[in-house]
Amino acid sequence: MEAKTIKKIGVLTSGGDSPGMNAAIRAVVRAGFYYDIEMYGIYRGYEGMISNDIKKLESKHITHVLERGGTFLKSARSAEFRTPEGRQIAYNNLKSHGIDALVVIGGDGSLTGAHLFYKEFGVPAIGLPGTIDNDLSGTDSTIGFDTACNTAIEAIDKIRDTATSHDRLFFVEVMGRDAGFIAINAGIGSAAAAILIPEKKMPIEHLVDKLRIRTKAKKASNIVIVAEGGKSGGATEIAALVSKHLPYYDIKVTILGHLQRGGSPSSYDRLLASKLGVSAIEGLLQGKYDVMAGLINNKVVYTPIKKAIVDDKSVDEDDFRVAKILST
Ligand code: ATP
C-alpha cells in the first residue's frame, strides 16, 4: 500500500486498562516527535473521539509516565462508537483537528473498532496489543500481561504463607474471562496444585482426586488457581463443590480482581511497550495500515488486525504438561 502523507497522529487507549499503556503512549509520542509529527492525545478512548476530548500533546505530557501503571489518557468503553452514527461524529472530530492517522492501544474490541473505522473512513490505523489477557494473535505477549502475572504470583506467594501455616486449601481466582494465560503462567510460577482455565474443562472429580492424592502425600499447602468465569464457574463455585467432597479441609477463596490491572509495569512490559510504540509510528509512515504491531521471537511483526483478533490464540499444550508434572 502506498503511504499517505501523515503529519498529525492521534493516540488513544481503550477497553480494559493494562500496566504498560503509559509506556506505550510515551513511546508512540516520542517516536512521533522524532519523525516531526504533531501528536494528539484522544482522552477516554473512542468516547473522547466522539466528545471531541482531543488535545495536542507536548513533551511535558509524557514526562515520568513510563513507570506509572494505568493510562494518563484514561480508558473507556464506548457504546456509541459501535454505531455508524457515533463513528461519523468521531471522524468529523478527527478531521476538525486535521488528524491523518491513529494509534489504538487496547484489546480485541478496541482493535476491531480501529479496523472498522479504517474500512469506513480510510483513516490509517495501527493497533498495539494493550491488554492483560494476552488473548491476541500476532504477538507472543500483550502489553500488561507480564506485569499482571507478576502481580498475581506475588499475591499467591503471600497466600501460600497463610495456607501453609493453617493447612488450608485455597482457591485463588485470577483474571482472564475467555483466556487462561494468566492462570497458567501464575499457576506454574507459584507451584499451584491445579489450574482451571476456560479453554479446558476439568471434571470436579478429577480435581478432588488430585487433592486427595496431594493430601496423602502430606503436601504442606494446596492452592488451586481458577481463571474467572471458567467453564466450571469461578473460584467461589468450584470451592463450594469441592468442599462437599473434602469436608475436612478448611477452604478459603481469594479473588485477586482488579489488583492485577494496576501497578508499575515490569521491565519486560516497558521494553515491549517501547518497541511497539516506535514500530507503530514507523509502520504508519511506511504505509502499514489496519495492522497490529506485535513482537514474535523478539522481532516486530505487523499482523492484519482482522487476523490478530480472529485467530484463536490458545494456551500452549506444553504448559499444561509442565503444570501437570510439577503438581503431582
Ligand atoms: P479488554 O480485552 O481489556 O476487555 P477490549 O479492547 O477488548 O479490551 P472492549 O470493551 O471489547 O475492550 O472494546 C473497547 C471499545 O472498543 C468498545 O467500548 C467500543 O467502543 C469499541 N469496540 C469494540 N467492539 C467494537 C465493534 N465491533 N465495532 C465498533 N467498535 C467496537
Side-chain angles (χ1 to χ4, degrees):
M1 190 175 308
E2 200 175 314
K4 298 185 183 186
T5 304
I6 292 176
K7 295 201 170 312
K8 295 184 182 185
I9 296 178
V11 55
L12 62 92
T13 47
S14 164
D17 63 316
S18 70
M21 277 184 162
N22 271 328
I25 301 167
R26 178 240 182 204
V28 167
V29 174
R30 278 246 173 283
F33 290 162
Y34 181 84
Y35 289 107
D36 282 331
I37 289 166
E38 269 184 40
M39 296 300 300
Y40 286 80
I42 301 167
Y43 288 76
R44 294 183 177 77
Y46 294 120
E47 212 175 274
M49 245 161 109
I50 293 172
S51 64
N52 206 7
D53 195 358
I54 301 173
K55 293 187 184 76
K56 193 170 169 207
L57 294 174
E58 294 164 30
S59 246
K60 66 175 183 199
H61 292 111
I62 49 161
T63 303
H64 288 310
V65 300
L66 171 101
E67 67 275 26
R68 278 170 34 207
T71 157
F72 81 89
L73 287 179
K74 314 255 181 196
S75 191
R77 303 191 198 265
S78 163
E80 211 180 340
F81 193 78
R82 291 177 184 270
T83 67
E85 297 77 18
R87 293 195 290 275
Q88 182 66 55
I89 297 171
Y91 176 71
N92 296 345
N93 286 334
L94 283 191
K95 284 294 110 185
S96 73
H97 292 275
I99 292 172
D100 321 288
L102 287 175
V103 177
V104 173
I105 307 165
D108 54 350
S110 305
L111 268 49
T112 305
H115 166 71
L116 264 182
F117 203 63
Y118 174 70
K119 262 187 31 187
E120 287 175 356
F121 300 103
V123 176
I126 280 200
L128 293 188
T131 167
I132 61 168
D133 294 336
N134 202 27
D135 57 350
L136 284 161
S137 289
T139 191
D140 290 338
S141 182
T142 55
I143 299 165
F145 171 64
D146 183 64
T147 309
C149 288
N150 286 337
T151 303
I153 284 175
E154 205 182 313
I156 298 163
D157 283 348
K158 289 178 177 147
I159 290 167
R160 166 103 39 211
D161 292 343
T162 173
T164 311
S165 304
H166 290 272
D167 287 332
R168 280 177 177 145
L169 167 59
F170 263 91
F171 287 81
V172 180
E173 186 173 301
V174 298
M175 277 189 166
R177 219 168 309 133
D178 309 303
F181 292 99
I182 297 180
I184 197 90
N185 274 34
I188 291 174
S190 64
I195 305 165
L196 306 187
I197 66 167
E199 297 92 328
K200 267 209 166 150
K201 197 171 161 63
M202 181 191 283
I204 206 76
E205 299 74 30
H206 282 198
L207 177 59
V208 169
D209 285 348
K210 201 171 177 34
L211 293 169
R212 278 207 182 102
I213 292 166
R214 286 177 60 94
T215 309
K216 270 196 197 135
K218 301 214 180 314
K219 295 276 180 190
S221 59
N222 280 302
I223 296 180
V224 177
I225 306 297
V226 184
E228 58 174 338
K231 287 205 174 80
S232 330
T236 310
E237 291 78 20
I238 306 277
L241 284 174
V242 169
S243 72
K244 288 187 187 146
H245 297 271
L246 303 173
Y248 47 87
Y249 254 123
D250 181 12
I251 294 182
K252 301 282 178 207
V253 175
T254 301
I255 295 171
L256 296 186
H258 284 79
L259 187 89
Q260 295 157 94
R261 287 197 185 278
S264 182
S266 66
S267 71
Y268 182 78
D269 275 331
R270 291 180 194 204
L271 189 69
L272 179 67
S274 301
K275 281 188 173 190
L276 296 186
V278 171
S279 307
I281 296 297
E282 291 181 338
L284 283 173
L285 296 180
Q286 291 159 13
K288 294 188 172 81
Y289 308 150
D290 198 19
V291 293
M292 185 197 85
L295 207 63
I296 298 177
N297 292 333
N298 212 27
K299 287 274 166 283
V300 173
V301 175
Y302 296 95
T303 303
I305 287 181
K306 263 195 108 170
K307 197 164 156 25
I309 56 176
V310 170
D311 260 8
D312 249 2
K313 181 172 174 182
S314 49
V315 170
D316 198 331
E317 279 298 324
D318 207 44
D319 288 356
F320 278 112
R321 204 176 55 79
V322 168
K324 194 173 163 204
I325 289 171
L326 296 179
S327 63
T328 43

